[in-house]
Amino acid sequence: MRVHVISLERSLARRAALTERLSVLGVPYELSPAVDGAAGYAHFEACDSDQYLLNTGRAPSDAEVGCYASHLNLWQLCAAAREPFVIMEDDAAPLPNIAAALEVTRHLVPRYGFVRLEYDGPSEPARTRKVEQAGCFAIHYFSRYPYGAMCYALTPRVARAFIERSRVLRAPVDQFIKRCWEHGQ
């Protein structure tokens, strides 16, 4: 499964830190150029500012728009490639077992369609219901979805559903992903 790292070309320190970490951990990856700020608006048919305000309590920032557009570009690539992708932001902090987690995910993502690769750390554990054990990893269903879209795997079918429901910008990408009632995934 291909790992795509979203990274702004000017974010040299973040890019270097993550790519060095992935190399040390033996994880092959491809750098995917991030969309820079306000240029992201061109990737959407419209921005529903009223809905965005209802979803977040504020107007969209250029960084959020560029981030969403960057994920959208990779969803389009995933759908066109007809194979599952792992999408990772360049500020992710992969744990030493990421290679094993990716191997397990490769087998699970066809069944689930979308798999977040995330450590439920001690700071604020998300509310989850365990679905299955997969070796030393556990698959959980989030009943209270955490914010962020640091690292996840998805199938082309889910990517197409995300693309279809992303024509109009209504929330940051991490909020959109958790809104399963909107995209049906």
Side-chain angles (χ1 to χ4, degrees):
M1 204 165 36
R2 293 162 53 184
V3 175
H4 292 268
V5 174
I6 297 171
S7 182
L8 284 168
E9 289 182 11
R10 70 173 184 266
S11 295
L12 299 177
R14 283 169 53 155
R15 178 182 288 196
L18 181 61
T19 58
E20 180 181 341
R21 179 81 172 144
L22 292 174
S23 294
V24 165
L25 296 172
V27 175
Y29 62 89
E30 298 175 38
L31 286 173
S32 297
V35 176
D36 200 351
Y41 283 104
H43 295 259
F44 302 93
E45 291 176 7
C47 175
D48 185 337
S49 298
D50 293 335
Q51 191 64 48
Y52 204 99
L53 181 63
L54 286 172
N55 286 326
T56 64
R58 58 184 165 64
S61 73
D62 289 348
E64 288 172 324
V65 176
C67 181
Y68 196 140
S70 301
H71 285 265
L72 180 59
N73 283 346
L74 284 173
W75 299 340
Q76 292 166 338
L77 189 60
C78 175
R82 298 183 183 177
E83 64 182 75
F85 276 16
V86 172
I87 298 175
M88 183 181 296
E89 294 181 348
D90 67 359
D91 56 344
L95 295 175
N97 61 357
I98 185 73
L102 291 170
E103 182 59 25
V104 169
T105 301
R106 185 174 66 82
H107 296 288
L108 293 173
V109 75
R111 182 171 0 141
Y112 291 106
F114 180 86
V115 176
R116 288 176 63 96
L117 289 114
E118 164 175 315
Y119 166 67
D120 185 15
S123 61
E124 184 184 332
R127 288 186 290 232
T128 67
R129 176 178 45 86
K130 187 173 177 180
V131 176
E132 77 173 273
Q133 190 68 36
C136 64
F137 301 99
I139 305 301
H140 288 259
Y141 172 82
F142 284 96
S143 57
R144 180 178 161 260
Y145 196 87
Y147 290 103
M150 290 285 187
C151 187
Y152 58 89
L154 78 164
T155 62
R157 178 186 57 76
V158 171
R160 286 189 297 276
F162 284 2
I163 294 163
E164 179 61 31
R165 298 300 299 168
S166 292
R167 294 178 192 269
V168 176
L169 178 66
R170 294 182 177 91
V173 68
D174 55 336
Q175 276 198 22
F176 167 76
I177 288 172
K178 78 176 194 168
R179 299 169 74 86
C180 57
W181 57 92
E182 286 185 9
H183 51 67
Q185 305 305 307

